[in-house]
């Protein structure tokens, strides 16, 4: 297998590619601090259980949206099947804690690893590109859902799985409560955002940006594009599996049609594109905005089939601001400062 050696071969293009990353260092640290402060505001202001419940679901969606954007932006792969990683992570953590007695806070990262290992089954799809890759990953998600339904001896099948531990109490903080779950998810989203920043600044990120410009050219100079894309797929699956696992322990019930629901594939795409999937803050902010809009506004307008409103909002956003909500806000700020 060819080694990933990017620095010598890309040295002639290095300054053009490395300079934006260097300028992004303070921005990356400021992003993490800003997100953390904003996310802690509901707790500091004493938000009620209903609002915290909505924000918990929004943060789970934000984590999956961030994982999807990482794969689409850095990996150059559009996925319609992140529900597969979400469901595998959910079932893996529930079964590890219930059947093997693994502590929940250990079973969650192990579930992320299980989701990453499950993504290895999708590596043949890397030979495909564009819509063909997206449809292949969608097919894998359906395969995992069918396997979870048929393996009733392990997953409970269609009857579901509900006898497994919830989140524990650590240092006096009940992670199973609304406030504890919210704080845990805030920390996990922040860590995933920092991991995204680290990958984008690294030599791997440099090579991936070069692959996006011309995959054939990078192969000529010795960059193993298949290996790099495999790493991005596994990292995205790992992140998605973490949030699937936490969601399982928060709601306390699993069944295949929920854990592998197409919602976990479609909503992250809508949220990432709405917020601006080429940024890091965009998928997070987009997920929170889209989910709160869907639950508070769209449901009030159309009780059944309120996702239609989301489709209309997304179409308007794509036409009005192709770079997403964050891109629109930045443009408004530039215009105001001009």
């Amino acid at each position: 297998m060819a080694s990933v050696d990017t620095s010598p071969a890309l040295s002639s293009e290095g300054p053009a590619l490395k300079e934006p990353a260097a300028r992004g260092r303070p921005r990356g640290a400021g992003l993490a601090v800003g997100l953390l402060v904003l996310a802690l505001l509901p707790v500091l202001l004493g938000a009620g259980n209903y609002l915290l419940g909505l924000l918990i679901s929004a943060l789970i969606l934000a984590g999956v949206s961030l994982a999807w954007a990482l794969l689409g932006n850095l990996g150059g792969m559009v996925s319609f099947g992140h529900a597969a990683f979400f469901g595998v992570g959910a079932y893996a953590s529930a079964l590890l804690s219930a059947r093997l007695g693994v502590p929940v806070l250990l079973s969650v990262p192990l579930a992320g690893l299980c989701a990453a290992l499950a993504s290895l089954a999708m590596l043949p799809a890397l030979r495909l590109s564009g819509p063909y890759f997206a449809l292949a990953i969608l097919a894998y998600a359906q395969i995992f859902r069918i396997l979870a339904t048929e393996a009733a001896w392990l997953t409970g099948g269609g009857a579901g799985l509900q006898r497994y531990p919830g989140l524990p109490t650590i240092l006096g903080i009940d992670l199973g409560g609304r406030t504890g779950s919210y704080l845990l998810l805030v920390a996990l989203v922040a860590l995933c955002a920092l991991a995204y920043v680290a990958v984008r600044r690294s030599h791997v990120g440099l090579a991936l940006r070069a692959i996006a410009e011309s995959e054939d050219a990078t192969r000529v100079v010795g960059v193993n594009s298949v290996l790099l894309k495999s790493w991005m797929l596994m990292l995205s699956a790992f992140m998605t599996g973490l949030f699937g696992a936490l969601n399982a322990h928060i709601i306390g019930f699993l069944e295949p049609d929920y854990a592998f629901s197409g919602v976990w594939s479609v909503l992250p795409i809508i949220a990432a594109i709405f917020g601006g999937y080429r940024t890091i803050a965009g998928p997070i902010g987009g997920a929170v905005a889209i989910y709160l809009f869907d639950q508070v506004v769209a449901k009030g307008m159309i009780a059944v089939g309120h996702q239609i409103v989301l489709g209309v909002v997304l179409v308007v956003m794509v036409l009005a601001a192709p770079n997403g909500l964050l891109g629109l806000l930045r443009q408004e700020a530039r215009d105001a400062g001009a």
Side-chain angles (χ1 to χ4, degrees), residues 73-248:
N73 189 22
L74 292 184
M77 295 172 281
V78 176
S79 167
F80 287 167
H82 265 55
F85 311 136
F86 189 89
V88 168
Y91 271 101
S93 188
L95 292 171
L96 284 170
S97 58
R99 303 288 176 87
L100 301 180
V102 177
V104 172
L105 293 184
L106 179 58
S107 71
V108 169
L110 288 177
L113 289 175
C114 290
L117 290 175
S119 72
L120 294 178
M122 304 179 184
L123 292 185
L126 293 179
R127 296 178 177 272
L128 306 173
S129 61
Y132 303 104
F133 173 83
L135 292 175
I137 297 300
L138 175 62
Y140 276 106
Q142 293 302 312
I143 291 171
F144 279 111
R145 182 185 63 80
I146 293 171
L147 289 175
T149 303
E150 296 300 323
W153 58 273
L154 180 64
T155 66
L161 186 68
Q162 51 187 320
R163 293 185 178 180
Y164 57 87
L167 294 172
T169 299
I170 301 294
L171 300 176
I173 301 175
D174 180 14
L175 298 179
R178 293 292 175 91
T179 301
S181 297
Y182 177 77
L183 293 174
L184 180 60
L185 284 166
V186 165
L188 185 58
V189 170
L191 286 174
C192 289
L194 289 174
Y196 191 160
V197 171
V199 172
R200 192 169 65 175
R201 291 181 189 161
S202 67
H203 289 296
V204 171
L206 176 65
L208 287 167
R209 290 196 296 276
I211 290 171
E213 292 294 330
S214 175
E215 185 168 348
D216 291 336
T218 52
R219 284 176 179 170
V220 169
V221 297
V223 176
N224 192 330
S225 60
V226 175
L227 178 61
L228 290 179
K229 288 184 175 182
S230 301
W231 287 351
M232 288 302 100
L233 180 62
M234 293 182 68
L235 179 58
S236 182
F238 174 79
M239 290 168 58
T240 305
L242 292 179
F243 289 97
L246 281 179
N247 184 64

Side-chain angles (χ1 to χ4, degrees), residues 27-70:
R27 186 183 304 171
L31 169 67
V33 173
L35 289 176
L36 199 58
V37 171
L38 288 174
L40 291 176
L41 282 179
V43 175
L44 297 176
L45 296 176
N49 283 336
Y50 174 69
L51 178 57
L52 282 178
L54 290 177
L55 290 174
I56 286 170
S57 298
L59 285 173
I60 290 171
L61 177 61
V64 182
S65 299
L66 191 64
W68 183 89
L70 182 145

